[in-house]
Amino acid sequence: MVDNDGVIRDLSGVVDDISGEILLDDNLQSLKAHDTGKLPVIGSDVRLGPCVAGVGKFICIGLNYSDHAKEAGQDVPSEPIMFMKATSAITGPNDPIIIPKGSQKTDWEVELGVVIGKPAKNVDINNALDHVAGYCVVNDLSERSYQLERSGQWVKGKSCDSFGPIGPWLVTRDEVKDPQALKMWLDVDGKRYQQGNTNTMVFGVAELVSYCSQFMSLQTGDIIATGTPPGVGLGQKPDPVYLKPGQTVNLGIEGLGMQSQITVDEQAP
């Protein structure tokens, strides 16, 4: 937990993890009753793990920013494009990005992550946000040759180990006044590649939660990654730019914190 002074406090004596039923509204509210001053301080050298544990489904939305669709050479979808990312890709916000063996086209994507609280099934768009526990930063890393040049579905290019950093924080719904008004950005080695705002989404958060719940029940702890603004490596002109070992990727979303990752080769020890 981050207290009002920005100090990170240890919740392990209060809850086992941020997962399961703790993500329901009443239980999240109960955490606020604790005197943060009595919780142990976490040192700056302690690794932060994924901000949500035990994720059941990692749902992603493709081409959800019209300008990103344009840079990818694709039409703006008439309804949300859904695909899955393997939960084994999930890592902490500052863990290394492992470039798969032989990969030449590992790419970045800063995205707003939506964490489900109350389970949702066929929910109305007007009530959809009631089912959101909170929000987080997601780097939806992609291996473009696996995704686009080999047969099958996008999941192959999205699910490599370390391709799903989430966090650093789960920011509860009440702390985010408008999920459709959040600035977002991503830098590689200090160069700004992505700079956008969730207000340019084709399909907003409420619509996505409602839409996804038509096809499957959304369970507590599920994550929806809501798409990325333009500026991915694939879309760079005149030639695409992809990640190589030894680079630093920094990304963040207004009010949700920042991630920082070093790229490493899968063959490295």
Side-chain angles (χ1 to χ4, degrees):
M1 176 185 286
V2 181
D3 68 19
N4 290 332
D5 297 318
V7 177
I8 305 175
R9 301 283 181 167
D10 183 0
L11 279 174
S12 61
V14 178
V15 293
D16 290 335
D17 214 331
I18 305 300
S19 63
E21 291 189 355
I22 197 63
L23 295 169
L24 298 176
D25 282 353
D26 288 348
N27 294 331
L28 286 173
Q29 289 295 323
S30 71
L31 294 181
K32 293 186 176 183
H34 291 275
D35 182 353
T36 57
K38 294 182 178 179
L39 296 173
V41 174
I42 295 289
S44 59
D45 59 336
V46 174
R47 170 186 174 264
L48 294 177
C51 61
V52 179
V55 176
K57 292 190 288 295
F58 201 157
I59 303 167
C60 299
I61 306 299
L63 304 176
N64 196 32
Y65 289 72
S66 57
D67 35 11
H68 171 54
K70 181 179 179 180
E71 74 171 353
Q74 310 244 4
D75 294 333
V76 175
S78 58
E79 59 180 285
I81 296 174
M82 294 173 58
F83 61 94
M84 294 288 197
K85 195 178 192 78
T87 56
S88 55
I90 292 174
T91 58
N94 304 316
D95 291 341
I97 295 170
I98 302 171
I99 297 177
K101 185 176 181 179
S103 168
Q104 299 296 318
K105 296 183 179 181
T106 294
D107 204 348
W108 57 81
E109 296 186 15
V110 58
E111 305 200 7
L112 173 66
V114 178
V115 180
I116 299 299
K118 181 171 64 174
K121 177 68 174 176
N122 291 319
V123 298
D124 183 86
I125 190 171
N126 296 314
N127 302 317
L129 294 185
D130 294 341
H131 295 264
V132 174
Y135 303 92
C136 65
V137 180
V138 174
N139 191 354
D140 177 23
L141 290 146
S142 311
E143 211 301 334
R144 299 300 188 190
S145 63
Y146 298 176
Q147 176 190 3
L148 303 173
E149 300 169 17
R150 301 178 68 170
S151 63
Q153 300 179 342
W154 287 3
V155 64
K156 290 191 296 188
K158 297 285 187 171
S159 296
C160 303
D161 291 348
S162 81
F163 273 26
I166 60 172
W169 321 122
L170 167 66
V171 180
T172 53
R173 185 178 73 243
D174 58 304
E175 299 275 355
V176 179
K177 293 181 180 179
D178 184 359
Q180 303 308 147
L182 303 175
K183 297 175 183 177
M184 54 205 308
W185 56 273
L186 182 143
D187 296 345
V188 180
D189 288 342
K191 179 177 178 178
R192 179 67 42 95
Y193 280 95
Q194 290 190 276
Q195 186 159 328
N197 194 298
T198 58
N199 63 15
T200 63
M201 283 185 185
V202 179
F203 307 101
V205 171
E207 188 170 2
L208 291 175
V209 172
S210 174
Y211 183 84
C212 293
S213 77
Q214 297 176 33
F215 304 99
M216 63 193 77
S217 60
L218 300 178
Q219 303 295 328
T220 304
D222 288 348
I223 295 176
I224 303 174
T226 56
T228 197
V232 299
L234 175 68
Q236 299 303 306
K237 306 298 183 186
D239 299 306
V241 175
Y242 296 113
L243 293 170
K244 299 177 176 61
Q247 294 186 293
T248 300
V249 181
N250 292 319
L251 60 148
I253 299 178
E254 181 181 8
L256 304 186
M258 187 183 91
Q259 300 183 358
S260 183
Q261 296 126 14
I262 301 294
T263 56
V264 299
D265 197 300
E266 187 175 39
Q267 301 176 76

